[in-house]
Amino acid sequence: MRQISRHRRPAGQNQRGQATRFWGRHAVLAALANPERRVKRIWGTREALGQLDLPPVLPISYADVADLARLVARDAPHQGLVIEVDPLEEVYLGDLLQEESDADSKRPLLILDQVTDPHNIGAVLRSAAAFDAAAIITQDRHSPPESGVIARSASGALESVPWVRVVNLSRALEEIAEAQYWRIGLMGDTETTLASTLDGSKVALVLGSEGDGMRHNVMEHCDVLAKLPISPRMESLNISNAAAIALYAVATSGN
C-alpha cells in the first residue's frame, strides 16, 4: 500500500480518548510490521514472545494466559499476544484521491454508511485488502474507533488499507465524483445489476448498514443504484459478504 499523507491525532489516544489494545497473532504482527503504527507496549507468554524479533526499545511484559485474558475483551482469542498502540494518523480524503490520480490508479473505493459493528468493519477491511481497494470511507460519528475487535477481524488489514473518516458522507461523495469516480450504491430494491453498471470507469461502491440501509441523502449522491445477483431465497447479505462479492465483480470486470 502506498504512503498516504496524514494528519496526526494526539499521541496515545483514539477518537474517544482511550488507549487501544490489539490481540491475536495476525493483528499484533501486522501492527509491529507497520512503520506508521506506534506500538507502546507488548504483553505475551514466553513461548509467543520467543518467536518474535522485537525492537529493543519496546517495553515487554511476560504474562501467563490468564493474565492476558484480563487485558482484553472477554473471551477474546489473544493467542498469547497483546499490544498497546497509538491510533494511526488520520487519512485525508483529498490526499488519497490525489495520490490515486497521480498513480493513474483504478482501484475501487468502499464507502460505508452507518456501518457500526466493529466485526463488520474489520471483515470489510479484510476484503478490501484481498481485492486491493484503495480505501474504506466512513462518516466519523457513524462508525466505531479503532479497536482490538476491528484489528482482530481485519486479520492485519487495518494496517494496510487506508481508513478515511469524513465529517459529511454526502459531501465526500461529491468530492469523489469530482475525482471521476462512478458512484454505485448497492441495494436490493432495484432491477439494475452491479455487472451492468461496470463500464471501465473508476468505481466507488456505497453500502448501507444491514438494518437501515443507505440514508436517503447518501442514496441521492450515487450515480446509480444496483443489486448483487443473489438468489430470491436470500433477502440480504451480511455487509462484509456483500462488499467482498461487489469487489470481486469490479476486479473481474476489467476495471
Side-chain angles (χ1 to χ4, degrees), residues 71-95:
L71 294 174
V72 299
R74 186 175 181 181
D75 298 326
H78 55 70
Q79 297 177 302
L81 292 169
V82 179
I83 55 174
E84 185 171 87
V85 301
D86 283 345
L88 289 172
E89 296 168 11
E90 185 176 351
V91 181
Y92 283 113
L93 178 60
D95 289 346

Side-chain angles (χ1 to χ4, degrees), residues 97 174-183 201-203 223:
L97 295 175
E174 291 174 359
E175 188 173 352
I176 288 167
E178 291 171 2
Q180 306 301 309
Y181 284 82
W182 183 243
R183 302 164 300 177
S201 302
K202 295 190 295 185
V203 169
D223 296 300

Side-chain angles (χ1 to χ4, degrees), residues 2 20 24 33 47 68 74-75 77 92 94 107 137 146 162 237 249:
R2 290 187 296 277
T20 305
E47 180 183 6
L68 293 174
R74 186 175 181 181
D75 298 326
Y92 283 113
R107 298 190 301 167
I137 301 166
E146 283 187 10
L237 290 172

